[in-house]
Each structure stands twice: as structure tokens, then as C-alpha cells.
Amino acid sequence: SGSSGLLLWLLVNCACACSLNVLNFIVAKAVSPIAQQLLGNVKTVIGIAISPLFFDNPITGAQAIGCAIAIAGTVVYQRYGKRTVKPKPVESEEVPMKETEDLNGQNSAPPNKV
């Protein structure tokens, strides 16, 4: 029953990959491109952090520094990057409407809407 176990493992792996792609599309619609990039950085940091647990990979100094920079950048963006300047509302000016001729050949001015 080794081949059926392998087939089950492949099906579960395919389902996980498909779910990941669907979730990526959902997140892409919900957040800005900068937030997507930050989420990708956080995902990489989490992958590096849990890698020693599953694969006994040591974390190198370069990886640790890169993770620290990514986390610091995320924190800085959380605190200061979301601030946006709201544009001033444009004051509407009333534009005079010119008279038009209706189908009966009579002049009529459209009602002035504000």
C-alpha cells in the first residue's frame, strides 16, 4: 500500500498548493502592493525561523541579519508608513447650462442641479 500512500501525499500536497494560490488571489484583492510585499517578507522570516525545527538547518548570521532587517522594516511601516495626506475637497463651481433645442424645436434650459 506504499503507492496509495504516495498518491494520497501527492493529492494533499496539490490541495495545499491550490489553496495557497486561491488565498494569494484573495489577499491580493484585499491589500495594497506594499502590504503584499511585507507579508511576503514576514512569510520568509517565518520559514527561516521554523526551518531548524523540521530540517535541522542552522540559521546563518546573514539570515539572522536579513530577518532582523525585514522585521524592523515591517515595524517601521506599521508605525509610520500608513500615514497618508488627505487631499483637500474640490469646491464645485456652478457651470452655466446653455439652452438646448428639444425634439419639438422649442428652446429649453435643463434644470440647474447642485
Side-chain angles (χ1 to χ4, degrees), residues 2-101:
S3 63
S4 64
L6 178 63
L7 182 61
L8 178 65
W9 179 254
L10 286 173
L11 288 174
V12 168
N13 194 7
C14 289
C16 287
C18 182
S19 299
L20 177 65
N21 286 333
V22 170
L23 287 174
N24 278 336
F25 283 119
I26 292 170
V27 169
K29 284 185 174 183
V31 298
S32 70
I34 294 173
Q36 289 177 21
Q37 186 65 42
L38 290 173
L39 287 172
N41 290 344
V42 170
K43 183 181 79 167
T44 301
V45 169
I46 291 171
I48 291 170
I50 65 171
S51 176
L53 298 174
F54 292 102
F55 305 110
D56 293 327
N57 293 337
I59 297 177
T60 66
Q63 288 173 325
I65 291 170
C67 289
I69 291 170
I71 292 170
T74 302
V75 170
V76 168
Y77 177 74
Q78 280 287 325
R79 290 199 178 173
Y80 305 109
K82 293 182 182 177
R83 296 181 185 177
T84 58
V85 178
K86 291 184 181 178
K88 293 181 182 179
V90 178
E91 293 183 25
S92 62
E93 295 180 12
E94 194 171 309
V95 178
M97 304 294 279
K98 69 178 194 177
E99 289 188 15
T100 59
E101 200 172 282

